[in-house]
PDB file of all heavy atoms in Angstrom:
ATOM      1  N   ASP M  98     -17.084  26.370  26.246  1.00 87.00           N
ATOM      2  CA  ASP M  98     -17.398  25.143  26.983  1.00 87.00           C
ATOM      3  C   ASP M  98     -16.954  23.888  26.237  1.00 87.00           C
ATOM      4  O   ASP M  98     -16.975  22.796  26.792  1.00 87.00           O
ATOM      5  CB  ASP M  98     -18.915  25.037  27.218  1.00 87.00           C
ATOM      6  CG  ASP M  98     -19.362  25.987  28.304  1.00 87.00           C
ATOM      7  OD1 ASP M  98     -18.491  26.522  29.002  1.00 87.00           O
ATOM      8  OD2 ASP M  98     -20.578  26.192  28.441  1.00 87.00           O
ATOM      9  N   LYS M  99     -16.613  24.038  24.979  1.00 90.00           N
ATOM     10  CA  LYS M  99     -16.284  22.854  24.180  1.00 90.00           C
ATOM     11  C   LYS M  99     -14.812  22.791  23.806  1.00 90.00           C
ATOM     12  O   LYS M  99     -14.412  21.920  23.047  1.00 90.00           O
ATOM     13  CB  LYS M  99     -17.146  22.840  22.905  1.00 90.00           C
ATOM     14  CG  LYS M  99     -18.626  22.737  23.189  1.00 90.00           C
ATOM     15  CD  LYS M  99     -19.413  22.963  21.930  1.00 90.00           C
ATOM     16  CE  LYS M  99     -20.857  23.284  22.240  1.00 90.00           C
ATOM     17  NZ  LYS M  99     -21.569  23.780  21.068  1.00 90.00           N
ATOM     18  N   VAL M 100     -14.051  23.750  24.256  1.00 93.00           N
ATOM     19  CA  VAL M 100     -12.618  23.732  23.940  1.00 93.00           C
ATOM     20  C   VAL M 100     -11.794  23.762  25.225  1.00 93.00           C
ATOM     21  O   VAL M 100     -12.325  24.004  26.307  1.00 93.00           O
ATOM     22  CB  VAL M 100     -12.210  24.925  23.031  1.00 93.00           C
ATOM     23  CG1 VAL M 100     -13.000  24.938  21.755  1.00 93.00           C
ATOM     24  CG2 VAL M 100     -12.375  26.239  23.774  1.00 93.00           C
ATOM     25  N   SER M 101     -10.507  23.515  25.065  1.00 93.00           N
ATOM     26  CA  SER M 101      -9.611  23.487  26.220  1.00 93.00           C
ATOM     27  C   SER M 101      -8.727  24.720  26.196  1.00 93.00           C
ATOM     28  O   SER M 101      -7.859  24.837  25.336  1.00 93.00           O
ATOM     29  CB  SER M 101      -8.740  22.235  26.161  1.00 93.00           C
ATOM     30  OG  SER M 101      -9.546  21.110  26.019  1.00 93.00           O
ATOM     31  N   SER M 125     -36.828  24.513  25.723  1.00 53.00           N
ATOM     32  CA  SER M 125     -36.479  23.409  26.610  1.00 53.00           C
ATOM     33  C   SER M 125     -36.816  22.092  25.925  1.00 53.00           C
ATOM     34  O   SER M 125     -37.701  22.027  25.076  1.00 53.00           O
ATOM     35  CB  SER M 125     -37.209  23.532  27.944  1.00 53.00           C
ATOM     36  OG  SER M 125     -38.565  23.335  27.757  1.00 53.00           O
ATOM     37  N   HIS M 126     -36.068  21.076  26.274  1.00 52.00           N
ATOM     38  CA  HIS M 126     -36.349  19.777  25.672  1.00 52.00           C
ATOM     39  C   HIS M 126     -36.112  18.669  26.688  1.00 52.00           C
ATOM     40  O   HIS M 126     -35.435  18.874  27.689  1.00 52.00           O
ATOM     41  CB  HIS M 126     -35.522  19.568  24.389  1.00 52.00           C
ATOM     42  CG  HIS M 126     -34.052  19.470  24.601  1.00 52.00           C
ATOM     43  ND1 HIS M 126     -33.180  20.473  24.263  1.00 52.00           N
ATOM     44  CD2 HIS M 126     -33.277  18.495  25.120  1.00 52.00           C
ATOM     45  CE1 HIS M 126     -31.947  20.108  24.541  1.00 52.00           C
ATOM     46  NE2 HIS M 126     -31.976  18.910  25.066  1.00 52.00           N
ATOM     47  N   SER M 127     -36.708  17.519  26.428  1.00 56.00           N
ATOM     48  CA  SER M 127     -36.474  16.386  27.322  1.00 56.00           C
ATOM     49  C   SER M 127     -36.331  15.115  26.517  1.00 56.00           C
ATOM     50  O   SER M 127     -36.942  14.948  25.466  1.00 56.00           O
ATOM     51  CB  SER M 127     -37.612  16.260  28.330  1.00 56.00           C
ATOM     52  OG  SER M 127     -38.798  15.951  27.671  1.00 56.00           O
ATOM     53  N   HIS M 128     -35.468  14.265  27.012  1.00 53.00           N
ATOM     54  CA  HIS M 128     -35.261  12.951  26.393  1.00 53.00           C
ATOM     55  C   HIS M 128     -34.539  12.102  27.410  1.00 53.00           C
ATOM     56  O   HIS M 128     -33.729  12.611  28.185  1.00 53.00           O
ATOM     57  CB  HIS M 128     -34.439  13.071  25.099  1.00 53.00           C
ATOM     58  CG  HIS M 128     -33.177  13.850  25.265  1.00 53.00           C
ATOM     59  ND1 HIS M 128     -32.032  13.307  25.760  1.00 53.00           N
ATOM     60  CD2 HIS M 128     -32.915  15.165  25.048  1.00 53.00           C
ATOM     61  CE1 HIS M 128     -31.096  14.248  25.811  1.00 53.00           C
ATOM     62  NE2 HIS M 128     -31.605  15.375  25.400  1.00 53.00           N
ATOM     63  N   HIS M 134     -34.912  19.658  30.375  1.00 49.00           N
ATOM     64  CA  HIS M 134     -33.876  20.645  30.659  1.00 49.00           C
ATOM     65  C   HIS M 134     -33.932  21.716  29.593  1.00 49.00           C
ATOM     66  O   HIS M 134     -34.184  21.442  28.432  1.00 49.00           O
ATOM     67  CB  HIS M 134     -32.484  20.012  30.710  1.00 49.00           C
ATOM     68  CG  HIS M 134     -32.226  18.984  29.683  1.00 49.00           C
ATOM     69  ND1 HIS M 134     -32.360  17.636  29.915  1.00 49.00           N
ATOM     70  CD2 HIS M 134     -31.867  19.103  28.394  1.00 49.00           C
ATOM     71  CE1 HIS M 134     -32.079  16.968  28.813  1.00 49.00           C
ATOM     72  NE2 HIS M 134     -31.773  17.846  27.876  1.00 49.00           N
ATOM     73  N   HIS M 136     -32.264  25.265  27.693  1.00 49.00           N
ATOM     74  CA  HIS M 136     -31.023  25.965  27.406  1.00 49.00           C
ATOM     75  C   HIS M 136     -31.290  27.451  27.559  1.00 49.00           C
ATOM     76  O   HIS M 136     -31.490  28.162  26.591  1.00 49.00           O
ATOM     77  CB  HIS M 136     -30.548  25.625  25.998  1.00 49.00           C
ATOM     78  CG  HIS M 136     -30.228  24.173  25.857  1.00 49.00           C
ATOM     79  ND1 HIS M 136     -28.956  23.687  25.949  1.00 49.00           N
ATOM     80  CD2 HIS M 136     -31.023  23.097  25.673  1.00 49.00           C
ATOM     81  CE1 HIS M 136     -28.985  22.369  25.795  1.00 49.00           C
ATOM     82  NE2 HIS M 136     -30.220  21.999  25.638  1.00 49.00           N
TER      83      HIS M 136
ATOM     84  N   GLY Y 134      -7.374  20.104  22.343  1.00 93.00           N
ATOM     85  CA  GLY Y 134      -7.858  21.451  22.032  1.00 93.00           C
ATOM     86  C   GLY Y 134      -9.359  21.575  22.187  1.00 93.00           C
ATOM     87  O   GLY Y 134      -9.863  22.610  22.594  1.00 93.00           O
ATOM     88  N   VAL Y 136     -13.236  19.341  23.258  1.00 93.00           N
ATOM     89  CA  VAL Y 136     -13.743  18.192  24.001  1.00 93.00           C
ATOM     90  C   VAL Y 136     -13.758  16.962  23.088  1.00 93.00           C
ATOM     91  O   VAL Y 136     -13.957  17.076  21.877  1.00 93.00           O
ATOM     92  CB  VAL Y 136     -15.167  18.445  24.584  1.00 93.00           C
ATOM     93  CG1 VAL Y 136     -15.124  19.402  25.733  1.00 93.00           C
ATOM     94  CG2 VAL Y 136     -16.121  18.906  23.510  1.00 93.00           C
ATOM     95  N   ASP Y 195      -9.687  16.953  28.673  1.00 96.00           N
ATOM     96  CA  ASP Y 195     -10.203  18.140  29.345  1.00 96.00           C
ATOM     97  C   ASP Y 195     -11.256  17.666  30.346  1.00 96.00           C
ATOM     98  O   ASP Y 195     -11.977  16.699  30.081  1.00 96.00           O
ATOM     99  CB  ASP Y 195     -10.844  19.072  28.322  1.00 96.00           C
ATOM    100  CG  ASP Y 195     -11.155  20.430  28.917  1.00 96.00           C
ATOM    101  OD1 ASP Y 195     -12.071  20.527  29.769  1.00 96.00           O
ATOM    102  OD2 ASP Y 195     -10.482  21.387  28.542  1.00 96.00           O
ATOM    103  N   LYS Y 197     -13.995  18.737  30.926  1.00 94.00           N
ATOM    104  CA  LYS Y 197     -15.334  18.762  30.327  1.00 94.00           C
ATOM    105  C   LYS Y 197     -15.613  17.456  29.571  1.00 94.00           C
ATOM    106  O   LYS Y 197     -16.756  17.021  29.477  1.00 94.00           O
ATOM    107  CB  LYS Y 197     -15.453  19.966  29.377  1.00 94.00           C
ATOM    108  CG  LYS Y 197     -15.435  21.296  30.125  1.00 94.00           C
ATOM    109  CD  LYS Y 197     -15.529  22.486  29.200  1.00 94.00           C
ATOM    110  CE  LYS Y 197     -14.269  22.751  28.475  1.00 94.00           C
ATOM    111  NZ  LYS Y 197     -13.505  23.925  28.823  1.00 94.00           N
ATOM    112  N   HIS Y 207     -23.918  16.165  26.517  1.00 82.00           N
ATOM    113  CA  HIS Y 207     -24.113  15.205  25.424  1.00 82.00           C
ATOM    114  C   HIS Y 207     -24.457  15.916  24.116  1.00 82.00           C
ATOM    115  O   HIS Y 207     -24.739  17.112  24.098  1.00 82.00           O
ATOM    116  CB  HIS Y 207     -25.194  14.169  25.780  1.00 82.00           C
ATOM    117  CG  HIS Y 207     -26.533  14.777  26.070  1.00 82.00           C
ATOM    118  ND1 HIS Y 207     -27.451  14.220  26.906  1.00 82.00           N
ATOM    119  CD2 HIS Y 207     -27.097  15.922  25.652  1.00 82.00           C
ATOM    120  CE1 HIS Y 207     -28.524  14.977  26.969  1.00 82.00           C
ATOM    121  NE2 HIS Y 207     -28.333  16.015  26.224  1.00 82.00           N
ATOM    122  N   SER Y 227     -42.381  26.257  23.523  1.00 63.00           N
ATOM    123  CA  SER Y 227     -41.165  26.372  24.344  1.00 63.00           C
ATOM    124  C   SER Y 227     -40.562  25.028  24.739  1.00 63.00           C
ATOM    125  O   SER Y 227     -39.512  24.979  25.356  1.00 63.00           O
ATOM    126  CB  SER Y 227     -41.488  27.165  25.616  1.00 63.00           C
ATOM    127  OG  SER Y 227     -42.487  26.486  26.335  1.00 63.00           O
ATOM    128  N   VAL Y 229     -39.780  20.752  23.706  1.00 70.00           N
ATOM    129  CA  VAL Y 229     -39.782  19.607  22.798  1.00 70.00           C
ATOM    130  C   VAL Y 229     -39.481  18.371  23.639  1.00 70.00           C
ATOM    131  O   VAL Y 229     -38.532  18.375  24.425  1.00 70.00           O
ATOM    132  CB  VAL Y 229     -38.701  19.746  21.699  1.00 70.00           C
ATOM    133  CG1 VAL Y 229     -38.763  18.569  20.745  1.00 70.00           C
ATOM    134  CG2 VAL Y 229     -38.857  21.043  20.933  1.00 70.00           C
ATOM    135  N   ALA Y 231     -38.519  14.389  23.428  1.00 69.00           N
ATOM    136  CA  ALA Y 231     -38.061  13.360  22.493  1.00 69.00           C
ATOM    137  C   ALA Y 231     -38.083  11.993  23.164  1.00 69.00           C
ATOM    138  O   ALA Y 231     -37.993  11.888  24.390  1.00 69.00           O
ATOM    139  CB  ALA Y 231     -36.657  13.692  22.023  1.00 69.00           C
ATOM    140  N   PHE Y 249     -23.272  19.427  20.795  1.00 85.00           N
ATOM    141  CA  PHE Y 249     -22.946  19.017  22.164  1.00 85.00           C
ATOM    142  C   PHE Y 249     -23.211  20.166  23.121  1.00 85.00           C
ATOM    143  O   PHE Y 249     -22.927  21.324  22.814  1.00 85.00           O
ATOM    144  CB  PHE Y 249     -21.479  18.574  22.262  1.00 85.00           C
ATOM    145  CG  PHE Y 249     -21.313  17.117  21.928  1.00 85.00           C
ATOM    146  CD1 PHE Y 249     -21.242  16.705  20.615  1.00 85.00           C
ATOM    147  CD2 PHE Y 249     -21.271  16.163  22.935  1.00 85.00           C
ATOM    148  CE1 PHE Y 249     -21.125  15.363  20.297  1.00 85.00           C
ATOM    149  CE2 PHE Y 249     -21.151  14.815  22.630  1.00 85.00           C
ATOM    150  CZ  PHE Y 249     -21.074  14.414  21.303  1.00 85.00           C
ATOM    151  N   HIS Y 252     -25.908  20.428  30.487  1.00 80.00           N
ATOM    152  CA  HIS Y 252     -27.155  20.824  31.142  1.00 80.00           C
ATOM    153  C   HIS Y 252     -26.855  21.417  32.505  1.00 80.00           C
ATOM    154  O   HIS Y 252     -26.102  20.831  33.278  1.00 80.00           O
ATOM    155  CB  HIS Y 252     -28.075  19.615  31.301  1.00 80.00           C
ATOM    156  CG  HIS Y 252     -28.524  19.081  29.975  1.00 80.00           C
ATOM    157  ND1 HIS Y 252     -28.825  17.774  29.766  1.00 80.00           N
ATOM    158  CD2 HIS Y 252     -28.692  19.709  28.786  1.00 80.00           C
ATOM    159  CE1 HIS Y 252     -29.171  17.608  28.501  1.00 80.00           C
ATOM    160  NE2 HIS Y 252     -29.093  18.756  27.886  1.00 80.00           N
TER     161      HIS Y 252
END
Side-chain angles (χ1 to χ4, degrees):
Chain M
D98 285 348
K99 297 170 197 168
V100 303
S101 307
S125 68
H126 66 253
S127 65
H128 51 82
H134 40 263
H136 297 262
Chain Y
V136 288
D195 191 290
K197 292 179 285 250
H207 59 209
S227 60
V229 182
F249 273 82
H252 295 151

